[in-house]
Amino acid sequence: MDYALRAYEHATYIDNYGLRKYRRFDTRIAIPYHTPPHLIEALVAGLRKIIQEHPHTRKSKQLVYMEDIRESILQILISVYFRTSSRDKELQCRHEVLSEMIKLVETLGIRLAFPSQTLHMASFPEKENPQPIKHIPLSPEEASKSQS
């Protein structure tokens, strides 16, 4: 629960998220597999420092960890609470923190990853000079023309 105030009435409660003190922000950064471990550690430490130094973050509840190894990326989880009850101020804080994070990534020389797949083609030594496949008819009309 994001520290929402609750009103109890007739044995039911209502979460009033508009009155909460903190707003949680979760995001993830994807970096390529070939990123060296020392740069991953520097990135995680730098991200934590950015969160600690921002004036509107909750210092006691932050998570910054390499969370997962995916098909084509290393994924870093970032979870932070901003001390604000306004959506506008929350977005401003997100902008400030994300901008600093992008600067850090650039300073460390790490590239952000994007979804990709690698296709490995097998080579066959017995087929050094592959011949093109002859045309295969796609329709019955083409088939009848090629037979004549």
Side-chain angles (χ1 to χ4, degrees), residues 1-145:
M1 183 174 78
D2 290 338
Y3 294 93
L5 296 180
R6 291 185 169 176
Y8 291 90
E9 183 177 332
H10 305 295
T12 61
Y13 68 90
I14 302 165
D15 285 328
N16 188 342
Y17 288 105
L19 297 177
R20 62 189 163 181
K21 294 179 184 176
Y22 296 96
R23 289 176 173 254
R24 187 173 73 190
F25 173 53
D26 292 331
T27 192
R28 286 158 177 81
I29 291 180
I31 58 176
Y33 277 145
H34 66 271
T35 306
H38 72 280
L39 285 180
I40 296 169
E41 293 303 321
L43 176 60
V44 169
L47 294 171
R48 289 179 180 152
K49 183 177 178 188
I50 289 168
I51 293 168
Q52 283 290 356
E53 291 179 353
H54 192 276
H56 297 288
T57 57
R58 183 171 182 206
K59 310 308 182 215
S60 63
K61 271 222 175 200
Q62 61 168 318
L63 300 171
V64 181
Y65 293 101
M66 184 164 66
E67 175 187 40
D68 205 353
I69 297 174
R70 298 280 175 133
E71 293 80 13
S72 59
I73 60 165
L74 304 174
Q75 184 170 285
I76 298 174
L77 166 73
I78 301 158
S79 182
V80 60
Y81 286 86
F82 294 113
R83 183 174 178 87
T84 180
S85 59
S86 122
R87 175 75 171 149
D88 186 50
K89 183 67 174 176
E90 175 193 4
L91 291 174
Q92 179 186 346
C93 292
R94 283 184 184 205
H95 177 88
E96 293 165 358
V97 167
L98 289 171
S99 294
E100 289 302 311
M101 290 178 178
I102 291 169
K103 289 176 191 173
L104 173 64
V105 168
E106 187 176 281
T107 299
L108 292 173
I110 298 172
R111 301 181 102 178
L112 295 178
F114 52 90
S116 64
Q117 290 184 342
T118 303
L119 178 64
H120 295 277
M121 302 295 287
S123 60
F124 299 100
E126 69 276 2
K127 298 208 178 211
E128 289 297 321
N129 296 318
Q131 299 299 314
I133 299 172
K134 73 176 196 171
H135 177 70
I136 299 172
L138 302 175
S139 68
E141 294 81 21
E142 278 189 81
S144 64
K145 286 180 187 176

